Amino acid sequence: MTSQIFRNKNIVITGAASGIGAACARSFADDGASLLLVDRDHERLGLVAKELNAMDFTADVRSENSIIEMANYAEKQFGMVHAVVT
């Protein structure tokens, strides 16, 4: 049973295509959050996003320009972001 503490919260998760990032995404999705998943691996990211019915954004967070684009996209999609998991 999940706590639902993140129900209706907007969460951005980087590194979400695999490993800990994907595990975090699954946990937040189970808890009812709306997700924007971010990773540089477009193909794997798309699979996780589809699995979780989440939005995805391909970006390399080592690039300042990519971070700015990601933030602008998140703001456009959500209006407000409640948490960022990196």
Side-chain angles (χ1 to χ4, degrees):
M1 184 167 162
T2 60
S3 67
Q4 299 292 304
I5 194 169
F6 290 100
R7 182 176 195 80
N8 300 318
K9 300 297 184 195
N10 303 319
I11 312 293
V12 176
I13 302 173
T14 65
S18 63
I20 293 171
C24 287
R26 288 182 181 97
S27 181
F28 280 110
D30 287 345
D31 210 35
S34 296
L35 302 174
L36 174 60
L37 308 180
V38 181
D39 202 286
R40 16 178 222 175
D41 186 337
H42 177 75
E43 192 171 321
R44 289 175 74 180
L45 180 63
L47 294 173
V48 175
K50 184 176 180 180
E51 169 194 339
L52 301 178
N53 194 29
M55 292 180 284
D56 63 310
F57 187 83
T58 304
D60 185 342
V61 297
R62 298 175 296 182
S63 162
E64 183 178 348
N65 287 338
S66 287
I67 293 170
I68 292 167
E69 290 172 7
M70 174 191 70
N72 288 337
Y73 183 79
E75 181 180 37
K76 180 179 177 185
Q77 296 302 311
F78 290 140
M80 171 182 244
V81 173
H82 296 96
V84 178
V85 179
T86 60

